[in-house]
Amino acid sequence: MAQFVDNFWEVEFNSTVGFDIIMKRLHDGREACKEYEKFLKERAKAEELYAQTLIRLTKKLTFKEEIDGTLRRSIDEVIAQTETIGNSHNNMHQRLLEEAKKVEEFRETQREVRKREEELVKRMQSQKKDSYSRVINSKKNYESKCKEADQAEEAAFRARQSPNAKEIEKLTNKKDKTRSYAEIADDQYKAAVDSLEVTRKEWEKQMATFCVKTQALEQDRIKYLRNSMWVYTNVASIQCCTDDKLYERMRDSLEKCSDKEDIDSFINSKRTGSAKPAPINYECYYRDRQRNSNGSRMPRPAPPSGQPPVPIQRGLLARNGSIDDPMYASVNPNLPCEYIQAKRDYQAQGPGELSLCAGELLTVLEREPNGYILAKNESGTKGYILTELVTDTNGGTRL
């Protein structure tokens, strides 16, 4: 397996890219732990809601109207096992909350270790940067002093040809002084480099330790989340097995449910008898009514509230449109037939009316003085219609 300690260095002296990448990985891992913890809590909440719904449902539905029998016993068993399932899922809700709490504790433990190692490396990075800055500054000072000493020596060398002894002495003293300053700057520069090297080695050691420990943290996080999800999977799987066992008990009870046994039990306990009511015979309204002297039927009284008169259904339907019923005795089948035509569609509003289709031809059987017409359509169905719904055909009557 590859190692952090061999793969997150940079050639640039003050670079922190490798360190930043590792820290980002640890931060992302922490967020993943938070999300998994949230997942467990939401999953537990779903189990709690499901459990409460099942338990509340078993308390709400009593099926008290169902009589005692095999079906009632099956219903009671289903209700009882459903309540047990609800309690079982409530236990699963508690188990998932416990697992979420463990994930939170693990995450906080990792955070403490990560924070401690991060602070140590950052402290060494700061010291290394400070030492590096001192080296750069001391180097600049050293180079500057060396240039001044070189210039002073060159000036003193040229002054040896001058007859002015004081000028020569002055330049010689300056040369010695600048050289002394250059040597001091050189010592300071060397000391700064040595100090930087010590700091660099300490930082390198701390960085290596950081890589080892952070890799261990990341490995532990991956293993822990994998094991925790394994636990979650087992908890859910066991719950499914538990549910199946409880549902099997329901199936056992339902297998004992017999429709024959329950029907027999219901009849034996609630029967009222086997005798049926006698039929009601038809009584014709016009059978015993008197006729006029000309043999026609007496005028039909006007219907109340503008409703059409109710025709006798036996003569209309049972005889396929024949007119031998006494109520149609005045109709002479040998006379020319009068035809009318429906103006529009009309749906019969009562048992004595005739439905119409626009343009339909009908045969007039009798015209009533109250504005109704007794007519027959082409299918032979007879009934009453209002005069305003039809119009006479252009031919008036046809044979």
Side-chain angles (χ1 to χ4, degrees):
M1 181 174 63
Q3 302 294 320
F4 283 9
V5 72
D6 298 327
N7 294 279
F8 291 99
W9 303 97
E10 285 287 325
V11 294
E12 200 278 315
F13 194 82
N14 285 325
S15 175
T16 62
V17 173
F19 171 79
D20 294 338
I21 290 175
I22 293 176
M23 287 304 302
K24 186 177 186 308
R25 172 69 285 210
L26 296 179
H27 175 75
D28 292 344
R30 174 178 169 81
E31 291 303 312
C33 287
K34 284 184 178 180
E35 290 186 358
Y36 179 63
E37 178 186 340
K38 181 180 179 181
F39 165 78
L40 289 177
K41 290 180 178 179
E42 291 296 324
R43 183 68 173 84
K45 184 178 180 180
E47 287 296 321
E48 181 184 24
L49 180 61
Y50 179 61
Q52 291 176 351
T53 302
L54 288 182
I55 295 173
R56 186 166 55 249
L57 182 63
T58 59
K59 303 299 183 183
K60 181 179 179 181
L61 303 179
T62 59
F63 295 91
K64 60 182 180 180
E65 293 80 7
E66 182 62 36
I67 63 175
D68 186 29
T70 60
L71 179 60
R72 178 53 190 259
R73 290 191 288 273
S74 295
I75 291 175
D76 291 343
E77 183 67 21
V78 168
I79 294 298
Q81 296 307 325
T82 300
E83 183 178 6
T84 303
I85 291 173
N87 292 329
S88 178
H89 280 271
N90 196 40
N91 292 335
M92 181 179 174
H93 150 253
Q94 295 294 336
R95 181 69 180 84
L96 292 178
L97 286 182
E98 293 173 2
E99 190 63 27
K101 183 64 177 178
K102 292 179 181 179
V103 173
E104 180 183 8
E105 294 173 353
F106 171 80
R107 175 169 55 82
E108 290 303 314
T109 299
Q110 283 216 325
R111 186 186 69 83
E112 294 176 0
V113 175
R114 174 188 57 77
K115 187 175 181 180
R116 182 172 61 251
E117 295 300 322
E118 178 185 7
E119 290 176 352
L120 291 174
V121 173
K122 284 185 174 181
R123 186 181 303 119
M124 291 307 305
Q125 286 176 343
S126 178
Q127 293 177 8
K128 186 180 68 166
K129 288 181 179 180
D130 292 343
S131 296
Y132 180 79
S133 296
R134 286 194 294 270
V135 168
I136 296 301
N137 293 332
S138 62
K139 180 181 179 181
K140 289 180 180 179
N141 182 58
Y142 163 69
E143 291 175 347
S144 175
K145 296 300 182 183
C146 287
K147 288 179 181 180
E148 291 177 1
D150 291 344
Q151 291 173 355
E153 286 182 356
E154 184 178 352
F157 179 77
R158 290 196 301 267
R160 288 186 302 176
Q161 308 298 327
S162 175
N164 191 341
K166 290 184 178 181
E167 183 67 21
I168 294 175
E169 182 181 1
K170 179 180 178 181
L171 292 174
T172 300
N173 291 336
K174 183 177 180 181
K175 179 194 71 171
D176 294 339
K177 188 176 181 180
T178 54
R179 179 55 57 187
S180 175
Y181 289 158
E183 290 175 354
I184 294 173
D186 181 52
D187 291 338
Q188 291 175 344
Y189 176 43
K190 289 179 180 179
V193 171
D194 292 340
S195 177
L196 175 60
E197 180 60 16
V198 172
T199 303
R200 186 195 67 80
K201 289 181 178 180
E202 291 179 355
W203 166 82
E204 184 177 304
K205 180 180 179 181
Q206 189 61 52
M207 182 63 183
T209 301
F210 172 79
C211 289
V212 172
K213 290 188 176 182
T214 52
Q215 180 169 349
L217 286 176
E218 183 63 7
Q219 286 179 278
D220 290 344
R221 184 188 69 85
I222 294 172
K223 291 178 181 178
Y224 184 86
L225 288 184
R226 180 197 62 187
N227 293 338
S228 179
M229 286 186 283
W230 205 303
V231 169
Y232 162 75
T233 304
N234 287 340
V235 169
S237 178
I238 292 173
Q239 184 61 52
C240 290
C241 293
T242 301
D243 287 352
D244 188 63
K245 290 180 180 179
L246 297 173
Y247 284 121
E248 184 62 29
R249 294 179 185 176
M250 297 183 196
R251 287 189 286 268
D252 291 340
S253 176
L254 292 172
E255 287 177 352
K256 299 175 183 178
C257 181
S258 169
D259 56 334
K260 179 180 180 301
E261 183 177 340
D262 282 11
I263 291 297
D264 290 343
S265 176
F266 170 71
I267 291 176
N268 292 333
S269 62
K270 302 294 183 179
R271 63 181 302 169
T272 59
S274 58
K276 304 173 184 177
I280 303 297
N281 294 324
Y282 169 74
E283 297 179 3
C284 179
Y285 176 76
Y286 296 101
R287 178 173 298 172
D288 299 323
R289 291 178 64 100
Q290 295 181 352
R291 301 283 178 160
N292 288 334
S293 59
N294 59 2
S296 63
R297 181 170 57 85
M298 293 182 66
R300 186 181 177 90
S305 303
Q307 296 296 320
V310 179
I312 301 301
Q313 299 299 313
R314 184 179 64 172
L316 292 177
L317 303 177
R319 304 187 183 187
N320 299 320
S322 64
I323 56 173
D324 56 347
D325 190 273
M327 69 176 292
Y328 304 125
S330 63
V331 179
N332 188 346
N334 296 321
L335 295 176
C337 295
E338 181 184 359
Y339 292 92
I340 54 178
Q341 189 175 28
K343 294 181 180 180
R344 57 181 176 85
D345 292 344
Y346 176 74
Q347 182 65 38
Q349 303 296 314
E353 291 187 330
L354 183 65
S355 297
L356 302 176
C357 294
E360 179 183 13
L361 289 177
L362 303 104
T363 303
V364 176
L365 300 180
E366 185 177 358
R367 292 181 180 271
E368 294 286 346
N370 57 6
Y372 284 92
I373 299 175
L374 177 63
K376 177 177 69 175
N377 59 21
E378 293 180 351
S379 64
T381 304
K382 302 174 184 178
Y384 285 93
I385 55 177
L386 285 170
T387 305
E388 63 188 31
L389 298 176
V390 296
T391 181
D392 291 337
T393 58
N394 295 329
T397 59
R398 293 187 299 179
L399 293 178

